[in-house]
């Protein structure tokens, strides 16, 4: 008969790893299934990114996070979480995507991945939000020159680049490309740069805009993207500008498909926040837990690594509590 895991964790991001550590500490039998590389989202972040958190805030499992500066880089974070994985001997199956999940009549979950089937008493969904971009849904968005992910500035030297969005990612992209000699225009939906852009970066971008080094259109929406130009909808009418590349840094949305399959309800407001008890992270489906950034629904800024690590202990304590209650029945 197939072994039944106590817990199957979907997602090998920082929070999935924290859940694995909590299971190790509690001697609970678990597996983490990750569709990509270890900490796949971090791996896909811009090559030169620096975290806004100080390294101590990203620590887990009692392993100190040393970084050269007080805020770590992407590479330092990748190395840190690799060390965490190695030190705790976490059971992570990489390059394996969870495709379907269901609760069988006997109350056991059946999880089908790209490689095998698992059975588990509990599921933790720690699937993050970085896989699906928040699309603009405008003509031309599918052109190869348009991207929702950014790596590095070198391909854009001397190129006309439109950066859509005014939050942290957009600002970092605009400044980095401009500093390497790209001609950057920003399309800002609101009146200016977002209020919660990192306080040490905001004056930099605002001054570049003020001095005219970076052109910014405010209260502006992208209307159409063409091979060699983009059409912007601005308060003074339609503006067409020459263009080589577009970075649509318009955010990302969690993949609700896995939640839907399990019957996890979402709030009816614009946040579409999954239904769960914040004291133990259990969703409206008993045995299905939510951890990490996925908990915020479309409000992807509500949870981040720093404030989600705590989910791991909350969930495992609840699972342990249930087992004790069962054994005393
Ligand atoms: C540029 C940038 C900078 C940031 N800086 C900070 C910071 O300084 N401090 C901070 O606290 N937060 C920061 N964040 C946010 C932080 O990175 C995320 O909150 C964090 O990654 C959330 O961790 P997570 O484990 O919940 O999700 P993720 O890291 O997104 O992990 C989810 C994992 O699930 C996997 N997955 C998804 N679907 C499946 C499936 N069907 N089957 C198997 N695996 C699946 C994904 O591949 C991924 O590896 C930053 C984010 C960005 C974009």
């Amino acid at each position: 008969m197939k072994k039944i895991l106590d817990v199957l964790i979907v997602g090998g991001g920082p929070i999935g790893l924290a859940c694995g550590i909590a299971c190790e500490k509690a001697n609970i039998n678990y597996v983490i299934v990750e569709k990509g590389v270890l900490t796949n989202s971090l791996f896909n972040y811009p090559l030169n990114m620096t975290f806004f958190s100080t390294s101590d805030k990203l620590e887990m499992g009692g392993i100190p996070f040393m970084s050269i500066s007080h805020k770590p880089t992407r590479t330092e974070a990748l190395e840190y979480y690799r060390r965490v994985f190695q030190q705790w001997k976490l059971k992570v199956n990489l390059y394996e995507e969870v495709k379907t999940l269901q609760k069988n009549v006997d109350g056991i979950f059946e999880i089908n991945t790209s490689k095998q089937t698992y059975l588990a008493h509990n599921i933790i969904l720690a699937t993050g939000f970085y896989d699906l971009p928040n699309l603009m849904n405008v003509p031309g968005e599918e052109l190869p020159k348009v991207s929702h992910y950014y790596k590095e500035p070198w391909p854009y030297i001397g190129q006309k680049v439109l950066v859509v969005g005014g939050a942290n990612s957009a600002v970092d992209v605009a400044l980095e490309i401009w500093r390497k000699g790209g001609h950057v225009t920003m399309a800002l939906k609101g009146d200016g740069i977002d209020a919660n852009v990192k306080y040490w970066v905001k004056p930099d971008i605002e001054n570049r805009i003020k001095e005219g080094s970076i052109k910014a259109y405010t209260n502006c929406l992208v209307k159409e993207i063409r091979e060699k130009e983009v059409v912007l909808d601005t308060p003074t009418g339609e503006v067409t500008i020459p263009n080589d590349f577009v970075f649509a840094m318009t955010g990302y949305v969690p993949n609700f498909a896995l939640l839907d399959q399990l019957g996890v309800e979402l709030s009816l407001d614009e946040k579409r926040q999954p239904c769960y008890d914040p004291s133990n992270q259990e969703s409206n489906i008993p045995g299905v837990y939510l951890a990490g950034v996925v908990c915020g629904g479309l409000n992807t800024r509500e949870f981040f690594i720093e404030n989600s690590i705590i989910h791991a202990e909350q969930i495992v304590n609840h699972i342990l509590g249930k087992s004790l209650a069962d054994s005393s029945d």
Side-chain angles (χ1 to χ4, degrees):
M1 212 175 87
K2 203 167 173 63
K3 182 175 151 192
I4 305 176
L5 295 164
D6 291 323
V7 183
L8 183 122
I9 301 164
V10 190
I15 306 306
L17 300 186
C19 292
I21 294 172
C23 289
E24 287 283 348
K25 282 188 191 163
N27 209 13
I28 280 184
N29 142 18
Y30 74 95
V31 168
I32 301 173
V33 178
E34 165 55 55
K35 71 178 169 52
V37 307
L38 194 73
T39 57
N40 201 49
S41 302
L42 276 56
F43 174 74
N44 286 315
Y45 286 171
L47 295 188
N48 301 321
M49 71 87 80
T50 300
F51 281 77
F52 57 76
S53 304
T54 53
S55 45
D56 56 315
K57 294 274 174 34
L58 304 175
E59 283 176 1
M60 56 180 67
I63 300 175
F65 187 168
M66 308 293 193
S67 56
I68 293 190
S69 164
H70 60 303
K71 292 177 195 247
T73 63
R74 165 187 170 274
T75 308
E76 287 171 326
L78 287 172
E79 173 57 12
Y80 174 74
Y81 292 116
R82 185 196 71 77
R83 287 286 311 282
V84 167
F85 158 74
Q86 191 182 38
Q87 197 94 352
W88 278 92
K89 300 187 175 57
L90 295 176
K91 298 176 195 77
V92 188
N93 293 343
L94 296 173
Y95 303 108
E96 184 172 338
E97 182 170 358
V98 171
K99 299 280 193 186
T100 60
L101 321 101
Q102 65 181 59
K103 196 174 196 174
N104 291 337
V105 279
D106 55 4
I108 305 291
F109 293 100
E110 183 178 319
I111 302 103
N112 292 299
T113 73
S114 48
K115 294 187 178 167
Q116 55 189 307
T117 298
Y118 297 87
L119 298 176
H121 292 292
N122 299 282
I123 292 179
I124 302 177
L125 293 170
T127 45
F129 74 114
Y130 204 57
D131 292 322
L132 297 178
N134 191 14
L135 297 177
M136 298 180 288
N137 293 314
V138 297
E141 191 166 9
E142 69 295 344
L143 288 171
K145 70 173 192 172
V146 182
S147 180
H148 295 84
Y149 297 91
Y150 169 79
K151 275 287 167 204
E152 53 184 334
W154 311 109
Y156 312 107
I157 298 165
Q159 303 300 296
K160 297 177 191 72
V161 180
L162 177 73
V163 178
V164 186
N168 276 307
S169 298
V171 167
D172 287 347
V173 173
L175 285 171
E176 198 171 82
I177 294 181
W178 171 73
R179 292 223 147 82
K180 295 293 175 226
H183 307 290
V184 177
T185 302
M186 295 185 83
L188 305 170
K189 208 165 149 188
D191 283 341
I193 294 300
D194 285 13
N196 51 7
V197 163
K198 292 170 279 195
Y199 65 87
W200 60 98
V201 177
K202 198 158 179 272
D204 190 3
I205 185 72
E206 285 178 340
N207 286 331
R208 300 297 73 74
I209 292 172
K210 207 149 102 195
E211 73 190 16
S213 304
I214 291 178
K215 165 88 184 154
Y217 290 92
T218 51
N219 300 301
C220 163
L221 292 174
V222 175
K223 195 167 179 210
E224 187 180 346
I225 303 167
R226 302 179 186 144
E227 211 61 62
K228 282 279 146 211
E229 55 194 20
V230 287
V231 184
L232 305 176
D233 216 343
T234 76
T236 52
E238 222 169 86
V239 176
T240 302
I241 56 171
N243 173 265
D244 300 309
F245 293 98
V246 175
F247 281 99
M249 307 314 286
T250 44
Y252 306 91
V253 291
N255 186 345
F256 292 123
L258 296 182
L259 282 75
D260 274 356
Q261 286 183 29
L262 287 164
V264 176
E265 284 168 13
L266 303 179
S267 66
L268 296 174
D269 58 12
E270 74 286 352
K271 276 208 222 166
R272 304 203 66 213
Q273 192 162 13
C275 234
Y276 66 91
D277 176 345
S279 69
N280 55 36
Q281 303 297 121
E282 191 172 37
S283 72
N284 59 297
I285 305 296
V288 176
Y289 295 85
L290 300 163
V293 78
V294 71
C295 298
L298 292 182
N299 187 6
T300 52
R301 288 183 188 161
E302 188 166 341
F303 293 99
F304 35 96
I305 304 171
E306 267 194 49
N307 66 0
S308 304
I309 290 176
I310 187 182
H311 295 167
E313 298 283 346
Q314 285 173 324
I315 294 171
V316 170
N317 286 341
H318 191 251
I319 291 173
L320 282 176
K322 281 195 306 189
S323 328
L324 285 176
D326 287 350
S327 60
S328 66
D329 286 345

